[in-house]
Amino acid sequence: MKIRLACLGLGALLSVGFGPLLAAPSKGPAAVTTERLLRASEEPGQWMSYGGSHSEQRFSGLTQINRDSVKQLGLAWFRDYDTNLQQQGTPLYIDGVVYVSTAWSKVYAFDARTGKPLWQYNPKVPGEWAANVCCGLVNKGLAAYDGKIYVGTLDARLVAIDAKNGKEVWSTVTLDAAKRNDPIQRYSITMAPRIVKGKVVIGASGGEFGVRGWIAAFDAKTGKQVWRFYTVPGDPNLPPENEAMRKAAATWPKTGDWWKIGGGGTVWDAAVYDPKTNLLYFGTGNGTPWNQKYRDPSGGDNLFLASIVALNPDTGEYVWHYQTTPADTWDYDSVSPMMTADITWEGKLRHVLLQPCKNGMFYVLDAASGKLLSAKAFTGVNWNTGVDMKTGRPIVVPESRYENKPFNLQPGVQGGHGWHANAYSPDTGLIYVATQDAYFPMIGDATYKQAGVGYNLGLDFMAPMTYYQKNPTEKAGFVGFLQAIDPSTGKQVWRTKENQGPAGGAMATAGGLVFQGGGADSELRAFDAKTGEKVWSFATQTAVLAPPISYELDGKQYVAVSVGGAVPGGYFAPNYSRLLVFGLGGKAKLPPAKEYVAPALNPPPSTASAEVIKAGGESYNKYCSSCHGADGQTRGSNFPNLMVSALLYSREGFNQVVLKGARKEKGMVSFATVLNDKSADALREYIIAQANAAKKLMPPPADAPKQAHE
Ligand code: CA
């Protein structure tokens, strides 16, 4: 309490001209106050919130590491994490301590001077909850306030941790606890909480499964909910919660069961508190199911799916919205990171909200009114031919709705931009966007039925394979790169070379640099912020997807980043998940990467009938492909490659896992509600057939290791 009063006191002094005093660090760990957050730019040596400041610009004001000195940048220290999964967490740095979240919603605190671990917090998420998580068992970051660190967990709790010792202070189940086992409650949290005037704001994921999207504020001291805003209407037989829901309900069917599976519209990343307008902006995700035909055959706009929404953060009341993708049927979440900025607009300074959206369009909105100022494609886009600036609506290419015929969508469902952080430099006036160029053939699933396990998409998720077999000359691929965009024109100023898969998140600095993870290229890179020239890189032995931060300690600037992600070899390969910290003259070295040989592809012979294999393929598509990949292979490093599984040899072992949940602790729950002995047999035969087909195409690797690394 003393600390907070002292800071308010300093704030008052500041107004009479004692500015520099405010930069003095407060006592005690995570002594973050509302004042400090509001004046984050006056403490460039700290990184106190997810995006570095309320604007979420991810701009460091430090200059010691710059265009000239960056050549001397080296590894100062590193620490291994106890996980082999993907890392997405933005670290925080507050008064000598680095806090970082890792897979399974775990949190570390490190002494920034020595790298010594101070504590680790494990929220002990039940393994089986992984079946309710769409996109990896990841966590994007933390919030800090008044001596506490806040983390959202995969099983949808919001937890306050004592920054001194890592002990849990409170834990709030963010969903309706009484309905915990209801299929409509398949929520998870991977986003970073945001602090708004003593409240912790967070939303939850789950739009692929069947949930009703929301964002809510909780009291930072007690964990009690202050307000909750649902993003889509609920049961049409009940009165709407508020005027916004009444308005939204008019864009959804009056009858039908769509609301029973939640409708979607989840808030899983972008959230910006803007002290200038006293608004909280957030983005909402896709509808459930993806295919609008099964959600709303009438083709309504379905508010507030795929929208940017502004609320009053004190009350949770609706203020304005802009729907980026009306009647979404393409998984075009509008949840990619957003930021506020003051940019030159038609010759004058204007306070705007910026979003490079998953749908491939770069949006500039007036931050106060939500008025659309600009909407331009920043990557290949074939679902619209532009945005009508009078109505703000995209001019949709009718064929892109894939109702009658497959459509090779660009950006594909991977998006023109994902969760990977953007950065903005007020010095260059450029926004740095981790961009994706991706295709995905969209084909409706005629056999779609809502299920309590697996994805609910209404889409044939194996479409890419069959589509490209039939149309071998159609465009395919998924590459990532970093580009600099001038938001006042919407034009690209420079771009980097492409790498396979997504590019990592970015940070800009007053040293004239942009740091960015090279995705699966396993490099951390620095670029000249003006020209895009690559001026530095470091081989990280593993994917770099999380965005770096920068801080100052004892007069020295550091760059810190969480690494770990898809590596050749997939789930069983060591992925070298670590915190890496760089400083000028850093001489630390990573231990050499271990040699790794992937398990051999050695399936039993495929003897089942074509009919059985086809039936197994249909189950695989519905229940397995979202985690294990479109053709039985692993999708990245988060889930095992089933084609090399020893369980293909054992009907009993396979059924123990698939029907009895023998590996639920690892996230592989029982699928007995949708599969029986017969369909499990067919599923196994399908994977065996896929493995045999794959074996024909590639020579098996030499020797498999005796024990897989996990
Ligand atoms: Ca989505």
Side-chain angles (χ1 to χ4, degrees), residues 208 268 285-286 290 331 333 358:
E208 271 64 45
W268 53 260
N286 56 276
W290 284 0
D331 187 30
D333 309 64
K358 190 177 175 189

Side-chain angles (χ1 to χ4, degrees), residues 388-435:
D388 179 336
M389 290 305 289
K390 279 208 187 77
T391 62
R393 297 178 71 89
I395 304 153
V396 174
V397 173
E399 294 77 21
S400 73
R401 296 193 65 85
Y402 64 90
E403 269 143 19
N404 308 312
K405 225 176 104 187
F407 185 80
N408 192 10
L409 183 68
Q410 188 189 30
V413 297
Q414 309 90 332
H417 181 54
W419 60 270
H420 313 86
N422 315 302
Y424 175 82
S425 165
D427 296 341
T428 61
L430 302 177
I431 178 172
Y432 304 96
V433 180
T435 309

Side-chain angles (χ1 to χ4, degrees), residues 504-572:
M507 170 189 66
T509 77
L513 299 172
V514 181
F515 286 86
Q516 188 229 4
D521 282 5
S522 299
E523 265 191 352
L524 180 67
R525 297 162 174 164
F527 300 95
D528 184 310
K530 274 204 188 97
T531 64
E533 184 197 342
K534 186 173 162 185
V535 291
W536 177 85
S537 69
F538 179 89
T540 52
Q541 303 178 343
T542 184
V544 193
L545 297 162
I549 65 160
S550 192
Y551 62 85
E552 186 181 283
L553 176 63
D554 301 334
K556 201 165 166 187
Q557 183 184 356
Y558 294 90
V559 171
V561 66
S562 240
V563 301
V567 283
Y571 181 77
F572 296 109

Side-chain angles (χ1 to χ4, degrees), residues 163-338:
K164 281 195 296 293
N165 52 28
K167 298 251 159 47
E168 194 171 292
V169 179
W170 54 255
S171 169
T172 297
V173 176
T174 62
L175 42 82
D176 186 344
K179 292 185 190 161
R180 189 103 172 123
N181 295 316
D182 190 324
I184 205 172
Q185 297 282 317
R186 295 165 74 200
Y187 291 103
S188 55
I189 296 180
T190 62
M191 80 178 274
R194 309 298 205 277
I195 301 294
V196 184
K197 296 187 274 186
K199 292 189 275 294
V200 192
V201 172
I202 202 152
S205 321
E208 271 64 45
F209 299 106
V211 301
R212 186 181 180 201
W214 54 263
I215 186 166
F218 299 84
D219 185 287
K221 263 203 166 55
T222 64
K224 287 216 171 70
Q225 185 181 303
V226 182
W227 55 256
R228 179 178 299 246
F229 181 86
Y230 283 104
T231 62
V232 293
D235 182 350
N237 303 308
L238 298 175
E241 284 94 348
N242 51 44
E243 195 44 42
M245 282 304 100
R246 188 185 307 279
K247 186 173 162 181
T251 67
W252 287 81
K254 307 263 174 310
T255 56
D257 285 346
W258 61 268
W259 59 274
K260 288 184 183 162
I261 58 165
T266 55
V267 182
W268 53 260
D269 188 17
V272 184
Y273 165 57
D274 185 6
K276 275 196 188 166
T277 58
N278 193 37
L279 292 174
L280 171 72
Y281 314 106
F282 61 92
T284 65
N286 56 276
T288 309
W290 284 0
N291 189 341
Q292 201 197 18
K293 189 168 126 186
Y294 297 111
R295 190 173 75 234
D296 178 3
S298 72
D301 281 356
N302 298 165
L303 290 171
F304 297 99
L305 294 182
S307 299
I308 296 165
V309 184
L311 301 182
N312 177 335
D314 304 319
T315 60
E317 276 164 38
Y318 167 92
V319 179
W320 59 254
H321 82 276
Y322 172 71
Q323 191 173 37
T324 53
T325 310
D328 173 45
T329 194
W330 306 280
D331 187 30
Y332 279 158
D333 309 64
S334 201
V335 190
S336 294
M338 296 189 288

Side-chain angles (χ1 to χ4, degrees), residues 6-22 35 39:
C7 267
L8 286 173
L10 286 174
L13 286 176
L14 183 87
S15 60
V16 290
F18 290 87
L21 280 176
L22 193 78
E35 275 296 301
R39 295 164 184 271

